[in-house]
Amino acid sequence: GLGDVYKRQDDELLDSREPFSLGYLESWQLRQQLLSQRLKGESLEDALPLLKATGSLPHGEIGQQLFYDEVDKVNKFAVRLADYPEQFIDPISFELSLSEFSLMGQLDDCSVKGLFNYRLSKAKGGDLLSIWCGHLVLNCLRPQGVLCESRWVTEDIDIKLKPVDDPESLLLGLLAVSYTHLTLPTIYS
């Protein structure tokens, strides 16, 4: 073989191996891109030449097979998004005053049917807390013409949250717990 290959300028070792698979992050990014195209009604086949040209896939038949494997995963997941909203409303900016707390931000991914979020991966604990907080904010705001419902779809769960009575007190409770944990001293042993 050629042995080790170095750049002339700083003698840094160059990687002379060709990838035969996609890393976890690359696979996830590819699936997200393909799913976004699918939800816009675009052909997934159209993405293959661009992905090949940019080097996002391994060369040859291996890259093509990896592409079609990811397309299969996207198509299976897209079936779970059958009621994906055709149109989203503009982000809803908010500023809530709850007792001694002020909460500011904006709600994205909202349609007249409420919040709709998805991720083509498994759910994580932070995701659940995030969707619950967004749902409580939506219920505090009660925007006109928008259902106060939320939906969260991942590979392993499909959560549908209905309107909540007294969302302000629930959100205040979460803020109080969060604030308490932020202000407690950290003890190292």
Side-chain angles (χ1 to χ4, degrees):
L2 291 174
D4 292 334
V5 178
Y6 292 87
K7 288 188 334 189
R8 288 183 189 261
Q9 294 132 344
D10 55 10
D11 291 334
E12 188 178 311
L13 185 63
L14 294 177
D15 191 359
S16 60
R17 297 170 291 140
E18 288 289 332
F20 290 104
S21 65
L22 294 174
Y24 177 79
L25 181 59
E26 291 85 7
S27 293
W28 181 82
Q29 289 171 331
L30 176 59
R31 284 192 302 273
Q32 297 305 315
Q33 178 184 346
L34 293 172
L35 182 57
S36 177
Q37 282 185 243
R38 164 95 191 251
L39 293 174
K40 291 176 189 172
E42 298 172 5
S43 168
L44 300 185
E45 288 289 326
D46 293 344
L48 183 57
L50 180 62
L51 291 167
K52 283 181 173 181
T54 59
S56 300
L57 293 171
H59 297 289
E61 292 294 320
I62 292 173
Q64 192 163 323
Q65 185 58 51
L66 287 172
F67 172 79
Y68 287 115
D69 289 347
E70 298 302 327
V71 166
D72 286 344
K73 291 174 189 174
V74 166
N75 286 332
K76 287 177 185 169
F77 185 74
V79 169
R80 300 185 68 201
L81 302 177
D83 57 348
Y84 183 77
E86 289 184 22
Q87 186 173 350
F88 287 89
I89 62 174
D90 291 334
I92 302 169
S93 296
F94 64 88
E95 186 171 338
L96 294 172
S97 294
L98 301 166
S99 187
E100 70 269 20
F101 299 102
S102 290
L103 189 60
M104 295 174 277
Q106 72 178 27
L107 288 178
D108 297 315
D109 304 319
C110 199
S111 75
V112 295
K113 294 181 179 182
L115 288 174
F116 192 103
N117 291 282
Y118 66 87
R119 181 177 300 139
L120 181 46
S121 66
K122 294 191 188 281
K124 295 167 183 51
D127 296 336
L128 301 174
L129 183 58
S130 179
I131 192 66
W132 178 239
C133 289
H135 181 67
L136 291 176
V137 168
L138 176 67
N139 278 261
C140 286
L141 298 175
R142 293 180 180 83
Q144 188 173 353
V146 175
L147 289 177
C148 291
E149 297 182 355
S150 298
R151 177 113 184 264
W152 176 247
V153 182
T154 65
E155 288 180 318
D156 55 342
I157 62 171
D158 186 343
I159 295 175
K160 295 175 184 173
L161 300 173
K162 297 294 182 192
V164 175
D165 293 328
D166 197 18
E168 293 85 359
S169 67
L170 293 170
L171 195 52
L172 182 60
L174 284 173
L175 289 169
V177 168
S178 178
Y179 181 77
T180 300
H181 286 289
L182 290 174
T183 59
L184 287 175
T186 304
I187 301 173
Y188 296 98
S189 52

